[in-house]
Amino acid sequence: MAIEDNPRSREQYGAELKRRREAAGLTQEELSQRAVMSRTHIAHIEGGRRRPDAEDARRLDQVLGTDGFFENFLPALDGRKVAEHFAQAAELERQAVAIKEYASTLVPGFLQTPGYAREVLGSGHPAKSDEKRDTLLATRLERSRILDDFDSPKVTLLLGEAVLRQAIGGPRVMCDQLCHVLALGENRRIRVHILPFTAGAHALLEGPVKLMWFDELPSVAYVEGLKSGRIWELPGTVRELEDVYDHALGDALSHRMSLALLRSVAEDYRHEADRDQHP
């Protein structure tokens, strides 16, 4: 019977892998070659940072002669809420070489401008002090550093049209926010696709999802709800979510048409802000 997946169980699992590998007289590199896994992946498993999939576990058992131990005691992800889910997702975000994200109502955190992020962080319940909000704001804005490298991660952004229409912070804030996303798209740093209201029902109606790929580690998916989040690592589940994302992407506007819509809505907000300033 599989044990519950949590940081402590992964650390114990990794420590046992290291103990049995060393008892077999193998280095991480030697084990990686025999088990057909990358050395980096084995290092992450031994460090308790990642879990192998079932096929990885079977190969580890075969190479180490452990009679099913690593498969039978594989930490099992069952879809429960993950403690400190956002911290884990943010760490994975920093490691990712490719990100595909769908957002239904808000611009994703790593793309938020200071004005927009301040409004979002100040709107929660219970209310936060200005000091607490500003601390969270600094952390959120730091996430945008993943875009400093032009080549990695490759970002595909799928936005519900409601993201453009929900006037967070008023017309000036929205104009600045949409112009920021627009500039990233025009400069080829990200790919942007808008799911228009006219698309009707689509595959991602149930909510936002973030898909992440890595150099030498299995891909993961992060699904978020109200004050909760789930990190999915099971390959079958991740593949299913990838298929759902691709299906919804097929209902979206092209990158070029999406940039045109962003530009148009941002201009509308600009005119509205100017009218408010000079009635």
Side-chain angles (χ1 to χ4, degrees), residues 171-172 175 264 266-276:
R172 183 65 66 189
C175 178
S264 174
E267 195 62 26
D268 289 343
Y269 280 125
R270 189 189 311 278
H271 291 323
E272 184 179 352
D274 290 342
R275 287 196 301 270
D276 290 344

Side-chain angles (χ1 to χ4, degrees), residues 214-231:
F214 309 89
D215 270 331
E216 297 183 310
L217 298 173
S219 56
V220 302
Y222 173 66
V223 180
E224 191 169 57
L226 182 63
K227 297 185 182 298
S228 66
R230 295 174 179 176
I231 296 175

Side-chain angles (χ1 to χ4, degrees), residues 56-97:
D56 288 339
R58 280 192 287 271
R59 289 198 296 269
L60 290 171
D61 279 324
Q62 184 177 11
V63 172
L64 295 172
T66 44
D67 194 27
F69 174 87
F70 289 108
E71 183 178 5
N72 292 334
F73 291 95
L74 182 66
L77 292 172
D78 59 1
R80 64 184 175 77
K81 287 191 288 186
V82 179
E84 299 180 354
H85 61 275
F86 181 74
Q88 295 182 44
E91 177 59 30
L92 291 169
E93 189 180 76
R94 286 191 290 271
Q95 299 173 19
V97 297

